[in-house]
Amino acid sequence: VVSTQSTWAVKLLWEATELKPADATLADLFGAVRDPSVLAIKMFEGKVYFAGITSYDPSNIRPVGIDAKACAGEGSQLTNAFTHDLFVKHFVGDGVAFESVSKPALYLSVVESSASFSQEVCLATANGVNEVFHIRPALNEKTDSQVSLESALAPGRFICHCDGRIYCHSPENAIQRNRRVFNDDATWTLVEEDGA
């Protein structure tokens, strides 16, 4: 879709796979389904903060975010403090990267590891891989405005929070073993700076 003011890219994803025009027709994908569920996500570059929830105790649901302000610098693991800490969202190929405003030139980056406690999200300089994420429908499936962020480096692993820290876990290899809580922990709203 092209407007007179700017160009908008439209992608069709089917179970996390981007479909190209030659892949299939909509009738092939949806078959007899006459009312398919569709998630439209506005992709923009600009400053955002992360808003999520902690739902371990359903009677005490609290807001969380992703915070770099308290980090010492490169290599520091991020926290889930809800401070409206801003990140600049950049397009990288078919993914996105988030550069810290409070720690310029450092990005949310995945630490490579097979051990859950070491699968941290830390601040690091960009290398074109560790800081790239794909925006996916929210794992908790609660609202259309929320998303989950899947690592390009480690497909199947999502940015999540646990015990006050930010990690990149798969549901099967997470510190948090309760799937409902994990899905909430891996679901975020990217709030534009103007909405802050």
Side-chain angles (χ1 to χ4, degrees), residues 131-181:
E131 77 281 3
V132 179
F133 298 91
H134 297 285
I135 295 178
R136 303 292 187 226
L139 291 179
N140 71 5
E141 301 178 339
K142 288 186 180 171
T143 71
D144 291 340
S145 64
Q146 296 176 319
V147 298
S148 291
L149 298 165
E150 182 180 26
S151 169
L153 174 71
R157 288 176 33 195
F158 298 85
I159 292 180
C160 62
H161 65 91
C162 185
D163 296 329
R165 300 273 180 212
I166 304 299
Y167 294 92
C168 191
H169 287 156
S170 70
E172 298 77 27
N173 190 32
I175 296 169
Q176 174 51 258
R177 296 292 187 190
N178 180 312
R179 184 63 186 259
R180 176 196 59 80
V181 175

Side-chain angles (χ1 to χ4, degrees), residues 61-105:
I61 294 175
R62 292 171 306 167
V64 297
I66 296 180
D67 180 70
K69 291 177 184 174
C71 292
E74 188 163 7
S76 297
Q77 186 178 12
L78 292 108
T79 72
N80 71 348
F82 189 52
T83 63
H84 297 200
D85 194 10
L86 291 172
F87 294 83
V88 179
K89 184 168 74 169
H90 300 282
F91 293 110
V92 180
D94 65 346
V96 293
F98 299 93
E99 178 185 4
S100 174
V101 170
S102 61
K103 306 286 191 257

